């Protein structure tokens, strides 16, 4: 009797024709990344300026025939424009073309009613400042109820070098808030730190130049040793005297942020501060 055959792995989905709507930074970066991996990708822009940007990047513009053949249409447009652009496209695209937005905060409902069309979202967690920025090494949040579309989006992510996060629609706001805190929130935190150095008489340019390497070293520590292991400073040492001096020296608008972050750091520090030091810190850090 022959041995039972092992289950065959699911074949990788093909690279279907993709049309990217929007010739901005993200649209250009995705277009270049997919084209480099032999995806049949075209860039669609209604404006002359957008078409010229696509040509400058070496990306092919989408013809009407390309739109009819597309199986995935990626909307790389401002969040507020997604419903309008999706409605316009849904009126002309064949039902076989999936609509996918790249907005982290929007639900799939922003793409309009499904009516037999696959819908999805593909949101790279990358601060793209140029269409020539590489997306490799970052994560991407994927959401779609369509198994076939999910397989294609996962193939797309793998080819581009993105790690997939599956985000349930019901928790999209929490996901996006975390993403915003790690990017724009980090910039706002840097601004507060520059203001603190300003209270010591250090000019903003010099302060930022000094703080950026420090921030990078902190992130390297987190990458190597995790959140708790990467924590440094007076909180983890239990140095209440230093924290008290900080609170007395900080600008009035920065001190509440310092307290909030330090309370979070104290929880992260676990049992490393001695009990008496922890109690002193808790008294100092009360709102």
């Amino acid at each position: 009797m022959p041995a039972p055959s092992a289950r065959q792995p699911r074949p990788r989905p093909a690279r279907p024709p993709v049309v990217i709507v929007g010739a901005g930074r993200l649209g250009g970066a995705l277009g270049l990344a997919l084209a480099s991996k032999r995806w049949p990708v075209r860039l669609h822009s209604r404006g002359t300026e957008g078409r010229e940007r696509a040509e400058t990047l070496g990306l092919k513009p989408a013809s009407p025939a390309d739109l009819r053949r597309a199986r995935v249409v990626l909307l790389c447009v401002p969040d507020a424009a997604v419903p309008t652009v999706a409605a316009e496209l849904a009126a002309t695209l064949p039902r076989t073309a999936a609509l996918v937005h790249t907005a982290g905060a929007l639900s799939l409902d922003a793409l309009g009613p499904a009516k037999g069309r696959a819908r999805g979202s593909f949101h790279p967690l990358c601060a793209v400042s140029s269409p020539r920025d590489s997306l490799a090494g970052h994560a991407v949040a994927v959401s779609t109820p369509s198994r076939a579309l999910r397989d294609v989006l996962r193939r797309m992510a793998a080819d581009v070098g993105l790690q997939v996060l599956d985000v349930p629609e019901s928790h999209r706001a929490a996901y996006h808030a975390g993403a915003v805190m790690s990017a724009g929130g980090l910039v706002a935190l840097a601004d507060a730190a520059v203001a603190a150095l300003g209270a010591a008489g250090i000019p903003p340019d010099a302060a930022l130049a000094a703080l950026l390497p420090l921030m990078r070293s902190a992130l390297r520590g987190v990458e190597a040793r995790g959140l708790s292991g990467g924590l440094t400073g007076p909180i983890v040492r239990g140095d209440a005297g230093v924290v008290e001096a900080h609170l007395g020296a900080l600008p009035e608008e920065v001190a509440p942020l310092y307290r909030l972050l330090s309370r979070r750091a104290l929880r992260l520090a676990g049992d490393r501060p001695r009990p008496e030091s922890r109690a002193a810190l808790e008294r100092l850090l009360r709102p």
Side-chain angles (χ1 to χ4, degrees):
M1 183 175 180
S5 59
R7 176 179 292 182
Q8 296 298 315
R10 290 177 63 189
R12 297 188 74 187
R15 297 181 177 97
V18 174
V19 168
I20 294 174
V21 179
R25 293 171 294 184
L26 179 58
L30 279 171
L32 289 173
L34 292 172
S36 72
K37 297 298 182 179
R38 302 189 305 279
W39 281 70
V41 59
R42 298 289 186 272
L43 207 63
H44 175 63
S45 179
R46 290 178 297 179
T48 303
E49 184 180 348
R51 289 193 292 270
E52 289 175 350
R53 281 199 300 269
E55 291 174 2
T56 300
L57 292 171
L59 294 170
K60 297 179 180 179
S63 67
D66 291 323
L67 285 168
R68 289 192 297 271
R69 285 193 295 265
R71 291 298 173 263
V72 177
V73 178
L74 281 171
L75 274 58
C76 297
V77 298
D79 290 15
V82 168
T84 301
V85 174
E88 292 174 356
L89 289 168
T92 58
L93 290 171
R95 292 287 174 87
T96 51
L99 280 177
V100 180
H101 69 59
T102 55
L106 297 183
S107 73
L108 299 186
D109 290 338
L111 296 168
K115 294 183 178 178
R117 184 190 306 280
R119 302 177 304 168
S121 65
F122 188 87
H123 177 241
L125 274 77
C126 180
V128 180
S129 58
S130 164
R132 299 194 184 277
D133 285 351
S134 173
L135 302 175
H138 293 269
V140 61
V142 170
S143 176
T144 177
S146 165
R147 181 176 176 179
L149 178 58
R150 184 181 296 109
D151 287 346
V152 170
L153 294 180
R154 282 180 167 273
R155 171 75 187 270
M156 186 183 295
D159 282 356
V160 172
L162 293 165
Q163 173 194 348
V164 172
L165 300 176
D166 288 310
V167 178
E169 283 294 290
S170 58
H171 298 298
R172 177 174 291 275
Y175 147 75
H176 194 246
V180 168
M181 289 172 67
S182 70
L186 186 64
V187 175
L189 178 61
D191 178 68
V194 167
L197 266 65
I202 300 172
D205 288 350
L208 184 60
L211 291 171
L212 284 174
L214 176 60
M215 295 173 73
R216 284 192 288 267
S217 69
L219 290 174
R220 287 196 299 270
V222 171
E223 188 173 23
R225 290 174 287 280
L227 289 169
S228 180
L231 186 64
T232 62
I235 294 295
V236 73
R237 295 194 301 267
D239 199 335
V242 169
V243 171
E244 185 174 17
H246 289 174
L247 290 169
L250 283 170
E252 184 178 353
E253 75 277 7
V254 176
L257 177 60
Y258 180 96
R259 278 194 173 89
L260 180 63
L261 292 173
S262 295
R263 289 198 299 272
R264 187 87 188 185
L266 189 57
R267 289 195 295 272
L268 193 60
D271 59 0
R272 280 179 285 175
R274 291 176 298 179
E276 60 272 21
S277 298
R278 173 177 285 277
L281 287 167
E282 287 173 347
R283 286 193 297 271
L284 283 170
L285 298 173
R286 285 178 187 141

